[in-house]
Amino acid sequence: MTLIATGLTDIGTRRVSNQDAIAWHVCPDSTRALGIVADGMGGYKGGEIASQVAVNVITQALVPLVNQPPVDDADQVRAIRDAVNEANEQIQALREEDPVLGNMGTTIVLVWIQGSDALVAHIGDSRCYHLSGDQLDLKTRDDTVVQNMIDDGSISEAEAPRMPFRNVLTQALGSNEAAEPSLCRLQLARGDRLLLCSDGLTEAVPEADWPGLMPARVPLREQANTLIHTSLENQAADNVSVVLILKES
């Protein structure tokens, strides 16, 4: 059983700084892996700090566990929740110390894979997709006002891209007293890939195009590079980040 991971992030075509942060890690025997994407907000300085704090805190907490033999489901969930809450507390503390950082926060999406079992956690609108063959499935639900409106029937999915407040979050790491990530589990078959991304990718490249840009025969790093390159060709208005994990065998 072999897992492979890679990631790329780019400032995009219109931003003055990159407020996204990413990380990935595969354990020495390649049977367990971790991937993280965070998209900061609150001004260029605050966004950069919030996303990097989140990624740093969570990797420091979880990488040692990923390097150990598989933990049971309850311990895995507890570890993720503890790490996310620690990141939330650290970001809140920085907000209180410096008025310039008073509005900062970040989305977070992460996956911890043990063999064929993947546990996904997220807060905000950074996403996780499962790609099996040419079938692409979204595994997270955006924490946004627009998604709430879609769910209650106020607007249709087709209307969502035209909403001026489509990126307003209902939950973000650092801006809520308690961080409650949404969790889901899925099973990976040989050749399956998980794609973590910020909304810079989803807004620049239609999801329907992704499988064609990521043929399985192409090295994983090249797949990530193609997604980033295509988003830049499409004049990505936001930072664009991708982490890919492949269950090779």
Side-chain angles (χ1 to χ4, degrees):
M1 186 176 298
T2 303
L3 297 168
I4 299 173
T6 192
L8 288 170
T9 184
D10 194 279
I11 194 172
T13 63
R14 301 183 191 176
R15 299 291 189 180
V16 297
S17 66
N18 191 345
Q19 298 179 48
D20 288 358
I22 64 174
W24 64 95
H25 175 78
V26 179
C27 75
D29 68 3
S30 301
T31 62
R32 298 174 301 283
L34 178 72
I36 308 173
V37 169
D39 181 355
M41 66 201 74
Y44 77 92
K45 182 181 179 183
E48 288 182 10
I49 293 172
S51 61
Q52 197 61 62
V53 166
V55 168
N56 289 348
V57 169
I58 292 170
T59 54
Q60 288 169 11
L62 298 186
V63 165
L65 299 176
V66 173
N67 285 338
Q68 296 175 10
V71 302
D72 63 32
D73 290 355
D75 287 341
Q76 190 182 28
V77 168
R78 188 179 303 110
I80 285 177
R81 284 180 170 158
D82 287 348
V84 170
N85 269 291
E86 176 62 25
N88 189 62
E89 290 174 3
Q90 289 200 24
I91 294 169
Q92 286 186 325
L94 290 170
R95 284 166 56 119
E96 293 172 3
E97 291 172 7
D98 187 347
V100 174
L101 307 178
N103 294 319
M104 78 173 181
T106 185
T107 70
I108 193 78
V109 61
L110 68 94
V111 61
W112 178 354
I113 304 173
Q114 298 187 127
S116 298
D117 181 77
L119 178 57
V120 180
H122 90 284
I123 291 175
D125 61 356
S126 293
R127 295 178 173 181
C128 175
Y129 292 82
H130 179 204
L131 184 59
S132 183
D134 290 331
Q135 181 66 42
L136 183 72
D137 292 313
L138 176 61
K139 307 308 295 187
T140 51
R141 176 197 177 277
D142 291 349
D143 293 321
T144 60
V145 172
V146 162
Q147 187 60 53
N148 286 350
M149 294 177 70
I150 292 172
D151 291 347
D152 68 21
S154 300
I155 62 172
S156 68
E157 288 194 21
E159 293 175 298
R162 299 194 295 273
M163 295 293 106
F165 48 85
R166 63 186 180 277
N167 294 324
V168 175
L169 300 177
T170 56
Q171 187 177 195
L173 201 62
S175 62
N176 298 85
E177 189 65 30
E180 295 293 340
S182 299
L183 303 171
C184 76
R185 287 193 182 274
L186 63 146
Q187 293 295 307
L188 302 178
R190 181 178 181 180
D192 284 3
R193 287 159 285 175
L194 289 181
L195 188 160
L196 309 181
C197 65
S198 61
D199 63 352
L201 178 67
T202 53
E203 293 188 359
V205 185
E207 293 173 15
D209 295 350
W210 296 4
L213 296 170
M214 305 167 61
R217 66 182 182 276
V218 172
L220 201 64
R221 185 74 173 182
E222 188 174 334
Q223 294 176 36
N225 187 64
T226 299
L227 289 173
I228 297 290
H229 181 71
T230 304
S231 72
L232 298 178
E233 286 187 330
N234 292 351
Q235 299 300 302
D238 202 350
N239 311 141
V240 186
S241 297
V242 171
V243 169
L244 280 170
I245 303 177
L246 163 69
K247 186 177 185 295
E248 187 177 45
S249 63

